């Protein structure tokens, strides 16, 4: 068990050392990750983020509009109920 663990650790260490010594910085990162700011891929990514934000805001705006509509409708129904109750109270005479 210990023997297998040591072999595994030495392989991991050897692989990491080989990648660090043999690999250059251009191999480790693509142009987008490495920091090239003037590529079309970066422009497309920025545009994609803006489109996703626009969709998110549109959906949230729809939810807000729906709840405002429900609030307005509930208030209108409550006012109608209050008016009908008030008119009933005005019509019927009080008996004690």
């Amino acid at each position: 068990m210990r023997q297998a663990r040591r072999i595994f650790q030495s392989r991991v260490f050897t692989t990491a050392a080989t990648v660090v010594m043999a690999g250059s910085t251009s191999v480790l990162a693509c142009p987008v990750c490495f920091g090239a700011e003037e590529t079309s891929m970066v422009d497309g990514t920025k545009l994609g983020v803006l489109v996703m934000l626009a969709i998110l805001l549109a959906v949230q705006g729809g939810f807000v509009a729906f709840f405002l509509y429900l609030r307005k409708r509930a208030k209108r129904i409550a006012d109608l109920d209050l008016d009908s109750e008030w008119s009933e109270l005005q019509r019927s005479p009080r008996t004690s």
Side-chain angles (χ1 to χ4, degrees):
M1 185 68 150
R2 288 184 186 183
Q3 183 83 17
R5 189 172 183 186
R6 284 187 182 168
I7 292 173
F8 177 73
Q9 286 176 348
S10 70
R11 284 187 182 171
V12 168
F13 178 74
T14 305
T15 304
T18 304
V19 168
V20 169
M21 286 192 281
S24 65
T25 58
S26 63
V27 174
L28 296 176
C30 65
V32 174
C33 301
F34 193 64
E37 297 178 13
E38 301 299 324
T39 63
S40 61
M41 188 178 277
V42 172
D43 294 337
T45 304
K46 288 178 183 178
L47 184 62
V49 168
L50 290 176
V51 168
M52 286 191 292
L53 282 173
I55 291 171
L56 176 73
L57 290 175
V59 170
Q60 285 182 344
F63 277 115
V64 168
F66 177 67
F67 286 117
L68 289 176
Y69 164 75
L70 289 178
R71 181 176 143 193
K72 183 179 177 181
R73 183 176 171 193
K75 185 177 179 183
R76 185 177 37 179
I77 291 173
D79 288 344
L80 288 174
D81 288 343
L82 183 63
D83 289 343
S84 65
E85 185 180 344
W86 180 252
S87 64
E88 278 184 35
L89 287 174
Q90 293 295 323
R91 274 188 250 143
S92 63
R94 274 195 167 165
T95 56
S96 299

